[in-house]
Amino acid sequence: MFKKILIANRGEIACRVIKTARRMGIQTVAVYSDADARAPFVQMADEAVHIGPSPAAQSYLIADKIIAACKQTGAEAVHPGYGFLSERTSFAEQLKAEGIAFIGPPVGAIAAMGDKIESKKLAKEAGVNVVPGFVGEIEDTEHAVRISNEIGYPVMMKASAGGGGKGMRLAYDEKDVREGFEAVKREGLNSFGDDRVFIEKFILNPRHIEIQILGDQHGNILYLNERECSIQRRHQKVVEEAPSPFVTPKMRKAMGEQCVALARAVGYYSAGTVELIVSGADPTGESFYFLEMNTRLQVEHPVTECITGIDLVEQMIRVAAGEKLVFTQDDIKIDGWAIENRVYAEDPYRGFLPSTGRLVRYQPPVPGWEDDGEANGRRGLGGVRVDDGVYEGGEVSMFYDPMIAKLITWGKTRDEAADLQIAALDRFQLEGLGHNVDFVSAIMQHPRFRSGELTTGFIAEEYPDGFTGAATSAETAKHLAAIAGFIATARADRARQIDGQLDGELEPPYDWAVTIGGQTYAVSLDEEITVDGEEVDLAMEYTPGERLVEAEVGDISYGVKVEPSRTGLVMTTRGAIHKVQILPASIAHLTKHMIEKVPPDLSKFLICPMPGLLVALHVNEGDKVEAGQPLAVVEAMKMENILRAEKSATVKKVNAKAGDSLAVDAVILELE
């Protein structure tokens, strides 16, 4: 077994590998860029080597620097994590030439399966069903248009070396192809150093299901069941679960055996994932097609660990050291249900725009997961596990992926796992930047999610006009009104005890007018707690200043994040933010005399919605523009965002140029 390994990655996955290596008695080496100098993974590792500036292209993507760090520290092997150099054949070859073990598959398998174009050709030759498409090189935009017309819309344009949702565009017509083809090429080049693109038919009502593969260097290859990853946004997975609510035992066996055969054809070993697109319209489950094989560990690997009890990182290390798998296909079982939500630095209330900045407050619902080596321990505390690589006061950088943490829950049933997600998300405290905690909580509560009727179009179909918060029932609003009244009384009780008041010590008000979502509730806390005259069985404690309140209303448990506002509280729970007005009942009627403040008209400005790089500016001063016309392209967190005109106008003034780094809310153009 190795004595020392280097992790050629950062953030959450670097922490994950270090924890398992530590349990196995293996020393670890971290490599880090300027932006990660104070990151938790750097502190956790036994040794750390600085490898360059913040941009990944100048640090984590330079193989020579990784190899130099191995030589400097005496690391015998490298775990690449996911992303960065994890699927780059040249890196694996360089390691082999230097006598350093690669904790991953053989070079030949990476080469065969890592390239989307070549892997599709190989899968087709092996008799595996593939999605109809064009797998050759595409010359230019006109060629892309001709191919798309032949295949039939809708089509998907993908960067050949792409991954993680980057370098992908869905086109419903020729106009979309013309607009998106060059953007896909640029994203492929910027993120992966490869601008080749392929085009394939987009299957309507598709489910994204993947099979986890694990093999050793002695010819043993197993499948560790499936994961359902259909809930995606911009082709980036948001929710993953294992097993899939759609897959039957017969289907699981057919898919698993086909994926094992494909892996065997390329001499695969280590952990890997075969991604399949499955037609949800076919109840037989026989309509599944090969998409690609990821020759690395997946972000969502914890859900597989939860239901199988197998530590995938440990197995990767053991396989790389030449050990045989100690279990067989018959040993692989499904115990319970696991769901993973990715907590991202993006603001769902502002169209999911990337949100970088400092984590002013970061308090997950349970401490970060620690590897105790026990199968049950992989399910976290009470079925709640947090895999993260950030800390309170740290910064979510614009240079890397926007993921803050992964929240994994395990239950005996799917509903139990989802309920644990809702409860844990309510207690996930994040401040300082936009995040998607409310959004994933809303998904967990959604009737369609609960039914298991999922497709990759779930988010677009269920939130066509964007996200404004989870639906709040009348019962929940009533309960929140009671909680708000309790908090208001506690705050007033503290205020009355302040010394030096004009009329001595006063009694706090017990009757309140609490307004939530436009409805006003009469809340009284005199002898019993009532809302609109009906008694509410509320049990809670509150000390003024607390940011998270635990409350029991009847048999319903709430975790409510509270923040004082000028006229009451901002209360966040169950996937929604509630701006709550709380006034003593004796003065509440006076609010009708207050003048409403009219917000300024910002429609005459093109405002940068997130910190980023202005990649392209399509107009000049004096140009006339129409509603929907692309005006500028801003790149943030390695994704390009097209900014369009909201109305017909003329460009009055241009305040920025291509290549400028823009702050959030910076004015790019002025219109008239």
Side-chain angles (χ1 to χ4, degrees):
M1 180 50 67
F2 307 118
K3 293 181 180 178
K4 184 185 289 187
I5 65 173
L6 181 145
I7 298 94
N9 217 296
R10 61 174 300 279
E12 166 268 323
I13 188 57
C15 293
R16 166 74 184 88
V17 176
I18 290 169
K19 288 172 183 176
T20 290
R22 180 190 292 164
R23 175 177 58 77
M24 295 174 70
I26 301 170
Q27 288 190 307
T28 55
V29 179
V31 291
Y32 65 94
S33 70
D34 290 346
D36 286 331
R38 295 183 179 87
F41 75 93
V42 176
Q43 308 301 319
M44 288 174 61
D46 296 299
E47 298 174 68
V49 179
H50 177 251
I51 56 169
S54 301
Q58 299 173 43
S59 51
Y60 296 107
L61 286 170
I62 299 180
D64 290 344
K65 290 187 176 182
I66 306 295
I67 291 170
C70 288
K71 291 179 177 179
Q72 177 184 331
T73 58
E76 305 159 83
V78 171
H79 195 300
Y82 44 72
F84 294 142
L85 298 171
S86 62
E87 295 178 282
R88 189 166 294 185
T89 52
S90 58
F91 178 56
E93 287 168 344
Q94 282 179 265
L95 289 174
K96 187 175 182 180
E98 297 290 344
I100 301 167
F102 180 65
I103 302 176
V107 173
I110 300 174
M113 305 309 292
D115 185 308
K116 288 184 172 66
I117 292 175
E118 293 305 316
S119 66
K120 282 186 178 296
K121 288 179 180 176
L122 182 66
K124 200 169 183 179
E125 289 168 6
V128 178
N129 287 345
V130 296
V131 179
F134 184 85
V135 293
E137 289 197 38
I138 299 169
E139 299 162 10
D140 52 26
T141 301
E142 292 304 321
H143 190 197
V145 169
R146 290 198 303 273
I147 290 167
S148 301
N149 289 337
E150 289 170 9
I151 294 172
Y153 295 100
V155 298
M156 180 70 77
M157 298 177 287
K158 293 184 182 180
S160 179
K166 297 174 181 67
M168 301 174 73
R169 285 288 191 285
L170 180 59
Y172 285 95
D173 52 34
E174 185 176 315
K175 176 174 172 288
D176 289 346
V177 176
R178 293 187 184 280
E179 268 191 19
F181 181 72
E182 290 299 327
V184 173
K185 285 174 71 72
R186 281 196 302 271
E187 285 183 8
L189 188 62
N190 292 340
S191 295
F192 309 103
D194 186 342
D195 69 352
R196 291 177 301 151
V197 175
F198 72 94
I199 298 177
E200 66 184 9
K201 178 75 173 175
F202 181 73
I203 295 175
L204 296 172
N205 301 323
R207 298 182 81 113
H208 185 118
I209 295 173
E210 57 191 32
I211 300 291
Q212 176 69 57
I213 295 294
L214 182 64
D216 61 24
Q217 298 186 48
H218 305 277
N220 301 303
I221 305 178
L222 313 176
Y223 63 92
L224 275 58
N225 307 314
E226 80 285 349
R227 295 184 288 259
E228 172 90 52
C229 307
S230 295
I231 297 183
Q232 306 174 3
R233 197 190 67 77
R234 290 183 70 171
H235 317 296
Q236 181 82 39
K237 297 166 189 171
V238 177
V239 181
E240 300 103 349
E241 59 182 307
S244 164
F246 183 72
V247 174
T248 63
K250 179 183 176 183
M251 184 180 175
R252 180 175 298 119
K253 187 172 187 291
M255 294 166 71
E257 289 177 353
Q258 188 177 102
C259 294
V260 166
L262 183 62
R264 198 176 297 283
V266 293
Y268 200 88
Y269 57 78
S270 193
T273 295
V274 180
E275 299 199 350
L276 305 167
I277 191 165
V278 182
S279 172
D282 182 0
T284 68
E286 295 176 0
S287 301
F288 58 86
Y289 306 93
F290 170 80
L291 273 181
E292 61 181 320
M293 185 172 189
N294 292 313
T295 54
R296 55 170 168 78
L297 191 68
Q298 293 281 94
V299 177
E300 57 272 22
H301 73 273
V303 292
T304 296
E305 294 182 331
C306 286
I307 66 164
T308 63
I310 294 171
D311 185 325
L312 286 168
V313 172
E314 177 185 348
Q315 294 305 317
M316 290 182 76
I317 295 171
R318 292 191 180 283
V319 167
E323 294 186 12
K324 283 185 177 181
L325 297 178
V326 296
F327 38 81
T328 66
Q329 190 65 59
D330 290 340
D331 296 324
I332 308 302
K333 308 295 183 185
I334 296 178
D335 182 9
W337 212 288
I339 298 174
E340 174 181 295
N341 275 307
R342 301 188 188 190
V343 179
Y344 281 129
E346 61 183 18
D347 192 343
Y349 294 101
R350 298 185 67 194
F352 298 94
L353 293 173
S355 179
T356 57
R358 193 164 301 283
L359 281 166
V360 177
R361 181 180 294 264
Y362 177 74
Q363 294 183 16
V366 296
W369 176 76
E370 292 294 337
D371 186 356
D372 63 1
E374 298 297 321
N376 284 340
R378 290 179 196 116
R379 297 168 180 167
L381 297 173
V384 180
R385 168 177 165 178
V386 173
D387 283 19
D388 60 14
V390 298
Y391 65 99
E392 188 167 279
E395 192 166 330
V396 176
S397 169
M398 65 179 284
F399 296 104
Y400 312 117
D401 187 271
M403 189 164 64
I404 298 170
K406 301 186 311 199
L407 177 66
I408 304 103
T409 55
W410 176 89
K412 293 180 180 178
T413 64
R414 187 169 184 264
D415 279 341
E416 187 179 323
D419 288 342
L420 278 171
Q421 280 282 344
I422 296 165
L425 288 163
D426 277 348
R427 291 156 180 82
F428 213 129
Q429 299 184 66
L430 284 168
E431 294 178 21
L433 42 70
H435 57 78
N436 69 336
V437 165
D438 288 351
F439 179 63
V440 290
S441 177
I443 292 175
M444 294 296 99
Q445 300 170 61
H446 201 289
R448 181 174 163 191
F449 174 79
R450 290 302 184 116
S451 74
E453 295 296 323
L454 311 178
T455 72
T456 55
F458 178 94
I459 290 175
E461 292 159 10
E462 298 301 328
Y463 303 97
D465 301 319
F467 179 72
T468 56
T472 302
S473 68
E475 180 186 46
T476 299
K478 180 179 175 180
H479 293 170
L480 289 177
I483 294 168
F486 187 101
I487 292 172
T489 299
R491 292 172 68 190
D493 186 56
R494 182 180 68 169
R496 77 185 177 90
Q497 298 175 44
I498 297 172
D499 191 31
Q501 300 194 55
L502 291 176
D503 196 26
E505 194 171 279
L506 303 173
E507 281 295 308
Y510 292 102
D511 295 319
W512 303 92
V514 179
T515 303
I516 301 176
Q519 182 169 346
T520 300
Y521 301 86
V523 180
S524 176
L525 291 91
D526 195 359
E527 295 181 358
E528 57 187 20
I529 300 173
T530 63
V531 177
D532 290 341
E534 292 184 17
E535 185 177 353
V536 175
D537 180 16
L538 172 64
M540 63 177 283
E541 293 181 2
Y542 173 75
T543 301
E546 285 184 339
R547 308 297 286 269
L548 178 65
V549 175
E550 298 281 354
E552 299 276 344
V553 184
D555 58 355
I556 301 175
S557 175
Y558 290 95
V560 186
K561 284 164 275 196
V562 296
E563 182 181 347
S565 67
R566 189 170 56 85
T567 58
L569 295 170
V570 177
M571 305 176 73
T572 305
T573 190
R574 303 291 172 99
I577 298 173
H578 304 276
K579 294 180 179 178
V580 184
Q581 184 186 69
I582 312 171
L583 297 171
S586 59
I587 65 170
H589 64 282
L590 299 175
T591 58
K592 64 185 178 183
H593 301 295
M594 299 297 290
I595 299 172
E596 188 175 343
K597 185 177 180 180
V598 180
D601 178 18
L602 299 178
S603 64
K604 61 182 179 180
F605 300 109
L606 180 67
I607 296 173
C608 187
M610 81 291 278
L613 178 71
L614 185 59
V615 175
L617 193 60
H618 299 308
V619 292
N620 298 304
E621 288 183 14
D623 288 355
K624 291 186 177 180
V625 299
E626 299 297 328
Q629 179 179 335
L631 301 181
V633 178
V634 175
E635 182 187 283
M637 290 182 170
K638 300 186 283 187
M639 297 289 283
E640 289 191 358
N641 302 271
I642 300 173
L643 306 185
R644 302 175 185 274
E646 292 184 8
K647 61 183 181 181
S648 298
T650 301
V651 179
K652 178 183 178 182
K653 186 180 179 183
V654 177
N655 297 328
K657 62 182 184 300
D660 285 356
S661 291
L662 303 175
V664 63
D665 294 333
V667 176
I668 301 171
L669 301 172
E670 293 183 36
L671 304 168
E672 60 180 0

